[in-house]
Amino acid sequence: MAAETPCSVLYNDIRSFGGLKHLEIARMLINGNSYLGSTLLEKCSSNRSYLTRYIVHREPDQCAPAIYSDFAVTTLNLSAAICSKLGGESAYQAIAEHYRGPAANEMMSALASYKLDSRLYANALNHIDNFDGNAVREKSTLYLMLFVATGALADPIQGVATVERFCDSKTGGHFGTTETTVGRGFMSSLEQPRTVAPNLGLLRTHADNCADMQIHPLTRDPRGTVIGSLPKTSPSITDVGADASREHLRIWLEGGHWYAQGLGSTNGTVLESGAGDGDIVIEPPRDQREPGKVYPPVEIENSDRLHLGLYTTFLVIVD
């Protein structure tokens, strides 16, 4: 049996959990006012096999953003329809628990099977957990919106962007990072000039001195690699802890040297020198930064450690 696509996870879950038929879901998702959307819906209505093959089980590389209605509006309509089917005062709580739990796990499994960034989706869930809005109804909407937009587009980056836009424009909440305190001493840096730059990668390590098996390579592309929980660019590294910001740190190669620079993170970044030169502040936590001060790039080398907030440490290694 073929693996579930993100789109089929979306349709099948809402059918089983929310009690809506595939065609009902399609009519909510697809913009019937556009020529392409109305044509697709007409075909779906007259030919159920077309609906199943070309809409429900649409492959990630076949997803067309132009066919969809606004996902914020669609989510609110779906939420109302699901609540009507579930009934009772606890409907929003049930939606929140389902789309934070089993439905989210199914979506992340589908993303991973297509080599899409399931960790980005998991990070977004954590941000919703810490969202400023406390009402269950608000959070249930955000969990469902992330699920719907990611599934329809087969793109966790666009799914996260949809939720961020909604938070910024509709709820007044802040889709940000919880502050923690960095307890390391902040010292000056001594740059060691180097003429040859090897390929570098990052290996995540943990407090018990264990390290993950996966090495995250750093691109030599001038754009560099962004590290964070919800980066909007590629290439990126999303293997981070709960207090890492959406776009926390950028690392790039320039003139034969590797550099790291903070991106305005909430909890800051410290470099622990592998050469024994002490700790170097790449960017202090937000509450310790001097107003208007620009924190310049800091050179990184093999065997250095990068501490992003309290819960994320990377060992810099030759890849």
Side-chain angles (χ1 to χ4, degrees), residues 80-226:
I82 294 172
C83 283
S84 178
K85 296 285 186 179
L86 295 178
E89 297 180 358
S90 62
Y92 288 110
Q93 181 67 41
I95 291 174
E97 292 176 355
H98 182 73
Y99 289 101
R100 179 61 179 88
N105 292 336
E106 286 290 328
M107 183 59 71
M108 287 188 287
S109 177
L111 292 171
S113 70
Y114 282 91
K115 296 184 172 20
L116 299 169
D117 196 348
S118 61
R119 188 178 287 116
L120 181 62
Y121 193 98
N123 291 342
L125 292 173
N126 292 332
H127 277 256
I128 295 173
D129 292 343
N130 296 317
F131 178 63
D132 290 347
N134 293 317
V136 171
R137 181 170 181 171
E138 289 181 3
K139 289 191 175 181
S140 71
T141 298
L142 298 181
Y143 292 133
L144 179 58
M145 189 178 299
L146 179 66
F147 181 83
V148 169
T150 300
L153 299 173
D155 186 346
I157 294 177
Q158 291 304 316
V160 170
T162 298
V163 175
E164 286 187 300
R165 287 193 299 269
F166 182 79
C167 287
D168 291 341
S169 65
K170 301 295 183 182
T171 69
H174 174 57
F175 199 58
T177 307
T178 302
E179 289 192 21
T180 58
T181 301
V182 177
R184 298 182 174 275
F186 293 158
M187 301 176 67
S188 299
S189 66
L190 292 174
E191 295 190 357
Q192 301 297 322
R194 197 172 56 225
T195 57
V196 179
N199 291 328
L200 293 183
L202 301 183
L203 183 68
R204 186 161 179 202
T205 62
H206 302 276
D208 54 4
N209 291 323
C210 292
D212 295 342
M213 296 299 293
Q214 182 181 5
I215 297 175
H216 302 285
L218 296 172
T219 182
R220 299 179 78 93
D221 186 294
R223 294 174 299 172
T225 303
V226 174

Side-chain angles (χ1 to χ4, degrees), residues 203-206 305-308 310-315:
L203 183 68
R204 186 161 179 202
T205 62
H206 302 276
R305 289 180 185 269
L306 296 168
H307 301 277
L308 284 64
L310 281 180
Y311 304 121
T312 306
T313 298
F314 290 108
L315 174 65

Side-chain angles (χ1 to χ4, degrees), residues 4-31:
E4 285 255 62
T5 67
C7 198
S8 67
V9 168
L10 163 63
Y11 276 87
N12 290 335
D13 177 86
I14 294 178
R15 181 178 63 179
S16 61
F17 176 74
L20 302 177
K21 297 178 180 179
H22 283 167
L23 185 57
E24 291 178 296
I25 301 167
R27 284 173 173 161
M28 289 189 184
L29 283 170
I30 296 173
N31 182 6

Side-chain angles (χ1 to χ4, degrees), residues 2 22 42 48 63 71-72 179 193 205 216 222 231 239 249 287:
H22 283 167
E42 185 177 343
R48 296 305 172 88
C63 290
F71 285 115
E179 289 192 21
T205 62
H216 302 285
D239 182 12
L249 185 73
D287 63 359

